[in-house]
Amino acid sequence: MRVFVTGGSGQTGPAVVAELIAAGHTVTGLARSDTAAARLEALGATPHRGSLDDLGSLRGGAEAADGVLHLAYGGDFSDLDDMVRRDRTAIETLGRPLEDSGGPLVVTSGTLVMPAGRESTEKDEPDPAGLAAFRVAGERAGLDFAARGVRASVVRLAPTVHGPEDHGFLPMLIATARKSGVSAYVGDGANRWPAVHRLDAAVLFRLALERAVAGSVLHGVAETGVPFRSIAEVIAQGLGIPTVSLTPEEAASHFVSPFMAKVYGFDGPVSSSLTRETLGWSPVHPTLLEDLEHGDYLAC
């Protein structure tokens, strides 16, 4: 299959591109810089110059492909309305060339869109007022194409997609621990974080592209919920510093931002049972705590 990928040079994207190419697919990746283009070429993909704001470039990439995998997301987090508009417009532009083709459109979201405090499944609706409600519009824009002859699906990734050279939430948490001299959690730290290894996530994206039925919502979750206190304790042990419990008010000033304090205190366990059953996905790579203990996260 000829696949057009956005976000192929980002954090999770290179693993996805490598997985697709290893499975025999031909990959063209959106590249907004020479560095991104070189990274895609090194993986064996063909760079397609442009950006999420260059709608002509997006349309051209999708028109030349049999399927589209949309991983990219970005913008100014101080203007969430603009980020939502940008993502929705990009998805609508990517999906139109696939109309009535039966080809796949895989859109990325996150499990932080789900309600807090209970284990959510793929059948549950996202929380329109939740922590990551700004991702819901993109989900809907993608799934709308299921009624327009597109094999559209959404992959919700765990907040922690871990693995070598991670530059997401965990490194930010560790950097704060190094700077402050304590490894912190909010309240009793019993809030649960889903997690998935990057290589397992890459396999899921390939399976979604190849097999997901139109309208599928899939959960990229290998571990339903790791207690956040356990994460903080492993970080503390690795850095040789104490753990500390913070109130929500203390957390707002301790972590990078009040938003990140809410993320680190969020209780959002998520099941991936239906995803595994329908696609035959079976995560096999190290767990989050194993990666923290033995990976590159705590290396000096």
Side-chain angles (χ1 to χ4, degrees):
M1 187 186 305
R2 297 170 301 165
V3 185
F4 181 51
V5 177
T6 72
S9 62
Q11 177 169 303
T12 306
V16 176
V17 170
E19 174 71 22
L20 293 175
I21 290 173
H25 299 292
T26 300
V27 178
T28 298
L30 185 69
R32 63 179 181 178
S33 68
D34 292 341
T35 300
R39 191 171 193 187
L40 288 165
E41 287 180 333
L43 292 166
T46 300
H48 178 85
R49 296 305 292 260
S51 70
L52 292 183
D53 297 311
D54 183 350
L55 302 185
S57 175
L58 294 182
R59 184 169 53 252
E63 287 174 345
D66 303 309
V68 173
L69 203 165
H70 179 51
L71 289 162
Y73 194 87
D76 183 355
F77 273 85
S78 67
D79 189 350
L80 290 179
D81 288 342
D82 185 66
M83 289 180 65
V84 169
R85 177 204 57 76
R86 188 172 184 251
D87 188 51
R88 184 176 58 239
T89 301
I91 292 168
E92 291 170 349
T93 302
L94 290 165
R96 286 191 193 105
L98 298 175
E99 289 182 354
D100 298 320
S101 71
L105 169 66
V106 182
V107 170
T108 310
S109 182
T111 65
L112 290 178
V113 302
M114 303 308 291
R118 64 177 178 83
E119 184 176 310
S120 299
T121 76
E122 297 89 335
K123 290 186 176 181
D124 291 323
E125 290 295 320
D127 183 355
L131 188 63
F134 56 89
R135 299 301 302 262
V136 175
E139 289 192 7
R140 291 174 176 164
L143 293 175
D144 281 348
F145 281 101
R148 296 154 68 179
V150 180
R151 191 160 52 82
S153 63
V154 168
V155 173
R156 292 180 181 141
L157 288 175
T160 298
V161 182
H162 55 92
E165 299 182 359
D166 184 359
H167 53 264
F169 290 155
L170 271 185
M172 293 170 63
L173 180 66
I174 293 167
T176 298
R178 290 185 190 276
K179 181 178 179 180
S180 66
V182 295
S183 182
Y185 53 88
V186 182
D188 62 4
N191 60 294
R192 296 154 291 179
W193 256 32
V196 64
H197 193 281
R198 186 180 305 136
L199 296 180
D200 287 320
V203 173
L204 176 56
F205 276 110
R206 175 180 60 79
L207 292 174
L209 192 81
E210 295 172 345
R211 305 181 190 174
V213 300
S216 296
V217 175
L218 308 165
H219 282 173
V221 171
E223 296 178 89
T224 297
V226 182
F228 199 85
R229 181 168 180 168
S230 298
I231 298 171
E233 288 173 343
V234 172
I235 292 172
Q237 182 177 6
L239 296 181
I241 58 177
T243 57
V244 63
S245 169
L246 302 177
T247 66
E249 293 75 21
E250 291 169 335
S253 58
H254 176 83
F255 293 114
V256 173
S257 67
F259 175 77
M260 287 308 305
K262 291 179 181 179
V263 171
Y264 292 138
F266 188 75
D267 182 41
V270 173
S271 169
S272 60
S273 294
L274 292 176
T275 298
R276 298 178 191 227
E277 179 182 342
T278 57
L279 293 184
W281 180 56
S282 181
V284 297
H285 289 90
T287 66
L288 172 58
L289 297 185
E290 288 171 346
D291 234 355
L292 274 174
E293 292 174 346
H294 306 296
D296 64 357
Y297 284 99
L298 300 174
C300 295

